[in-house]
Amino acid sequence: GAGVSQSPSNKVTEKGKDVELRCDPISGHTALYWYRQSLGQGLEFLIYFQGNSAPDKSGLPSDRFSAERTGGSVSTLTIQRTQQEDSAVYLCASSLGTLGDLGGYTFGSGTRLTVV
Amino acid sequence: DQQVKQNSPSLSVQEGRISILNCDYTNSMFDYFLWYKKYPAEGPTFLISISSIKDKNEDGRFTVFLNKSAKHLSLHIVPSQPGDSAVYFCAASKPTNAGKSTFGDGTTLTVKP
């Protein structure tokens, strides 16, 4: 597609349930990123994938969070046993490479997750 | 410890005037700096970037200035237009880990007609 596609756009889940968020990056983009934005806050780095390299998971807030990227394309962010503090907008982005060329990321519109 | 700070949560300017959005950072290892614009219910959109080898980068109505000694950057929009009304985020990253950006909390710009 022309842009980064995320699904679902909205997700309401009960505390304790698992959720999966999906990201379809721009075709040909080798780098894929997950960020989240809590209300009134900036974007918080979660994880990024670059080509076939091991992902940088240093931003994942707990072991309840995991992500994978299959075939160098689609990525899924999984949150197990959701908590209310997980409520946020989860943003996926992709880029041709990492920021060495200062080209910036292309973001999707995000998934608004609400844990009740 | 917030490493990238945008101290003004909001800014209001008149159409046609200059908008100046500021950003301060604390980590001297940051070498790449970017500005993004975000409209409600959309993802951020990349605007302009600068690396530390430059102190100014210009793209149309948008100019980013970097003062490395002061650990300060600013985004100038001239002339401001109502369509520029959005939340603006600055972001910084290190050359050793360019895939991981640290974002500020954003400044909401309102341009009044």
Side-chain angles (χ1 to χ4, degrees), chain A residues 33 35 37 40-45 47-48 56 58-59 89 91 98-110 112, chain B residues 31-34 36 38 41-46 48-51 87 89 93 97-106:
Chain A
Y33 315 82
Y35 282 78
Q37 185 182 17
Q41 307 274 318
L43 278 69
E44 175 190 6
F45 169 80
I47 185 171
Y48 89 89
D56 180 341
S58 60
V89 177
L91 291 157
T98 53
L99 291 176
D101 62 359
L102 292 172
Y105 309 150
T106 302
F107 280 90
S109 296
R112 180 175 296 277
Chain B
D31 216 35
Y32 299 141
F33 304 92
L34 303 93
Y36 289 85
K38 185 181 184 302
E42 294 184 12
T45 303
F46 169 69
I48 192 169
S49 62
I50 192 167
S51 74
V87 179
F89 292 97
S93 64
N97 194 357
K100 179 178 176 179
S101 289
T102 301
F103 283 76
D105 287 345

Side-chain angles (χ1 to χ4, degrees), chain A residues 25-49:
Chain A
I26 292 174
S27 178
H29 279 192
T30 60
L32 184 147
Y33 315 82
W34 284 98
Y35 282 78
R36 74 176 176 182
Q37 185 182 17
S38 302
L39 192 62
Q41 307 274 318
L43 278 69
E44 175 190 6
F45 169 80
L46 296 177
I47 185 171
Y48 89 89
F49 300 84

Side-chain angles (χ1 to χ4, degrees), chain B residues 3 5 11-13 25 49 55 71-72 108 110:
Chain B
Q3 297 188 59
K5 295 182 182 179
L11 174 68
S12 181
V13 300
Y25 61 97
S49 62
D55 56 14
K71 295 191 181 66
H72 177 83
T108 301
T110 303

Side-chain angles (χ1 to χ4, degrees), chain B residues 13-82:
Chain B
V13 300
Q14 207 66 38
E15 181 179 5
R17 306 296 289 269
I18 184 171
S19 295
I20 300 177
L21 297 106
N22 293 303
C23 180
D24 296 293
Y25 61 97
T26 57
N27 192 329
S28 59
M29 298 299 293
F30 287 143
D31 216 35
Y32 299 141
F33 304 92
L34 303 93
W35 285 93
Y36 289 85
K37 177 170 75 172
K38 185 181 184 302
Y39 294 118
E42 294 184 12
T45 303
F46 169 69
L47 263 180
I48 192 169
S49 62
I50 192 167
S51 74
S52 61
I53 61 172
K54 300 175 77 172
D55 56 14
K56 176 183 173 181
N57 190 23
E58 194 170 352
D59 184 2
R61 297 185 297 113
F62 301 90
T63 303
V64 56
F65 295 91
L66 176 62
N67 182 334
K68 223 185 166 194
S69 61
K71 295 191 181 66
H72 177 83
L73 64 155
S74 61
L75 175 68
H76 292 209
I77 307 173
V78 183
S80 302
Q81 300 173 352

